[in-house]
Amino acid sequence: MKKLIMGSLILLLLLLTMTGCRSGENGEVYVYSYGDYYDPEVVADFEADTGIRVIQDTYDTAEEMYPIIKNGSANYDVVCTSDYMISKMKGENLLQKLDKKNIRNIKNLDEDYMRKAEEYDPGNEYSVPYLVGVSGILYNKKMVKGKKIDSWNALWDPDFKNNIVMQDSVRDAFAISLLRLGYSPNTTNPKEIEEAKNALKEQKKLVYKYANDSARDLLADKSAAIGVVWNGEYNYTHDLNKDIEFVVPKEGSEFFIDSWVVPKSARNKRNAERFINYMCKAKVAKRNFDYLYYTTPNTAAIKMIPSKYVSNPALFPSKETIARCTLLRNLDPDTTKLYGDSWKEVKSK
């Protein structure tokens, strides 16, 4: 009987060695990302290439994602989120340092964007850039009555009353108002925030709708003449309506870098790093550009993208444009509350 038990234990250990212990290479990876943020076929190919099963969940805003990771409501191995949120999560010890030996395709990323990412992740220790973009004005050149659109002031033009779409987001809306007034979108000065709030309250009577993802559709079907979108929405909208143009206002704009990070609570860090490395492959980054039309920081992928896209400043903003744009920073709790309360006041009256 003892021999039988011993033999069973040995067999069990062998099975664990062949299966459970191998899970670091052929197990699972839990991915948490903004919705519809990469080509679904890329995930299928990753699974086929690596034998790692990908379990995916999505969220709409970084603020929705944050408490899930903070409170440990669910365990994710790799998360795609925005610059300022990475700074916040890093400061709260919610992220793990990445093992770059497992992410060798990081060599494909543009050095300028990597340096830019150091504003929220010094040394690029905790994050790997995935997509970048800039906020700007999308407008119908036939509906703006021949006016030159090159400034945020256009969104306060009474001639466009009931034809303006504004972003429905506290930091994004305030960034526009602050930049228009000549202030930093990361200001902590209560007087500047108050001035920006009053300007947004004044603008409200002109606004047709506050919207985010649906803004592009409102411009495409001529429900509105002018609105605020991210540059990655330009190609989709222009394909539907050839009268659509995009501009980054002369006062500067908000710039973003969305990156991959590994939460402290991740159970499959090695698999997470393999997933990030796969996303950094030139062919994969090119496929994701073809799917989304958001700017890729992957220089190897850019060489594979047709010049008609690369030469389009709406899709690939120039270095000069990026230089006058600003990354949003994580703000202290009191300032964050002040912005939130101010935005509620704007929306309620």
Side-chain angles (χ1 to χ4, degrees):
M1 178 64 72
K2 288 183 178 178
K3 288 183 179 180
L4 181 61
I5 293 173
M6 184 62 68
S8 299
L9 287 173
I10 292 171
L11 179 60
L12 179 60
L13 287 172
L14 285 172
L15 287 171
L16 287 172
T17 301
M18 294 172 63
T19 57
C21 293
R22 201 175 61 182
S23 64
E25 293 184 4
N26 297 298
E28 300 171 332
V29 62
Y30 288 78
V31 180
Y32 201 26
S33 171
Y34 291 112
D36 200 27
Y37 218 37
Y38 42 78
D39 186 339
E41 292 301 316
V42 163
V43 171
D45 290 346
F46 172 78
E47 291 180 322
D49 286 356
T50 65
I52 298 170
R53 187 165 71 100
V54 179
I55 299 92
Q56 306 172 73
D57 279 333
T58 63
Y59 62 88
D60 293 327
T61 68
E63 288 71 25
E64 175 189 335
M65 173 277 299
Y66 166 73
I68 302 296
I69 303 299
K70 172 76 172 177
N71 301 327
S73 306
N75 287 307
Y76 294 101
D77 301 312
V78 59
V79 175
C80 182
T81 194
S82 301
D83 34 60
Y84 69 95
M85 185 55 69
I86 291 171
S87 175
K88 179 180 178 69
M89 295 170 73
K90 176 174 170 285
E92 296 180 8
N93 198 31
L94 296 177
L95 302 178
Q96 298 189 47
K97 283 188 179 181
L98 299 173
D99 186 347
K100 298 296 177 62
K101 294 194 301 293
N102 297 329
I103 313 174
R104 298 190 183 278
N105 288 325
I106 200 171
K107 66 186 180 191
N108 292 332
L109 302 188
D110 185 278
E111 291 182 1
D112 288 339
Y113 286 128
M114 292 298 287
R115 280 194 293 271
K116 193 84 170 172
E118 292 200 65
E119 291 185 27
Y120 58 88
D121 179 17
N124 304 120
E125 292 184 310
Y126 292 85
S127 64
V128 174
Y130 169 55
L131 290 179
V132 299
V134 61
S135 177
I137 296 176
L138 197 68
Y139 65 96
N140 186 313
K141 61 186 179 183
K142 288 187 176 178
M143 295 178 67
V144 296
K145 306 170 184 177
K147 291 191 176 184
K148 184 177 182 180
I149 307 298
D150 65 354
S151 167
W152 292 120
N153 285 323
L155 300 175
W156 274 258
D157 189 331
D159 286 348
F160 302 145
K161 183 176 182 179
N162 295 326
N163 265 308
I164 297 170
V165 180
M166 270 292 286
Q167 285 181 314
D168 192 8
S169 162
V170 52
R171 289 297 302 276
D172 296 336
F174 268 86
I176 292 167
S177 189
L178 288 163
L179 285 163
R180 173 176 172 263
L181 294 168
Y183 303 138
S184 166
N186 294 306
T187 185
T188 60
N189 186 322
K191 290 184 178 179
E192 294 177 353
I193 296 170
E194 176 81 8
E195 191 176 342
K197 177 192 72 176
N198 290 334
L200 288 168
K201 290 169 68 175
E202 175 191 343
Q203 181 207 35
K204 186 176 180 181
K205 61 180 179 289
L206 306 176
V207 174
Y208 166 65
K209 190 171 184 179
Y210 293 93
N212 293 319
D213 292 343
S214 63
R216 65 182 190 178
D217 298 309
L218 296 172
L219 272 294
D221 68 10
K222 301 181 183 180
S223 295
I226 186 169
V228 184
V229 300
W230 297 104
N231 65 311
E233 306 299 335
Y234 165 77
N235 196 71
Y236 166 88
T237 316
H238 188 261
D239 281 349
L240 294 175
N241 187 330
K242 300 304 181 186
D243 293 325
I244 294 295
E245 299 291 348
F246 178 86
V247 64
V248 177
K250 60 187 178 184
E251 298 93 346
S253 187
E254 178 187 341
F255 176 73
F256 78 82
I257 302 177
D258 286 347
S259 301
W260 299 106
V261 295
V262 176
K264 203 82 168 181
S265 59
R267 296 174 179 172
N268 301 290
K269 183 172 185 282
R270 174 78 168 101
N271 288 348
E273 290 167 343
R274 291 182 73 182
F275 183 85
I276 295 170
N277 188 57
Y278 193 83
M279 286 296 195
C280 290
K281 280 188 173 184
K283 289 182 179 179
V284 173
K286 197 266 183 181
R287 285 176 63 184
N288 284 328
F289 171 81
D290 291 342
Y291 185 76
L292 290 167
Y293 291 105
Y294 267 92
T295 310
T296 176
N298 193 307
T299 53
I302 292 172
K303 294 175 182 177
M304 305 167 65
I305 296 171
S307 60
K308 67 176 183 178
Y309 297 122
V310 178
S311 62
N312 189 324
L315 298 176
F316 286 88
S318 68
K319 290 185 178 182
E320 291 74 21
T321 297
I322 296 301
R324 57 189 170 90
C325 294
T326 306
L327 286 169
L328 291 189
R329 296 179 193 150
N330 182 43
L331 301 173
D332 64 86
D334 288 342
T335 302
T336 299
K337 184 177 186 304
L338 177 58
Y339 273 100
D341 292 344
S342 299
W343 182 236
K344 287 178 183 176
E345 187 176 336
V346 171
K347 294 295 292 292
S348 65
K349 296 182 180 180

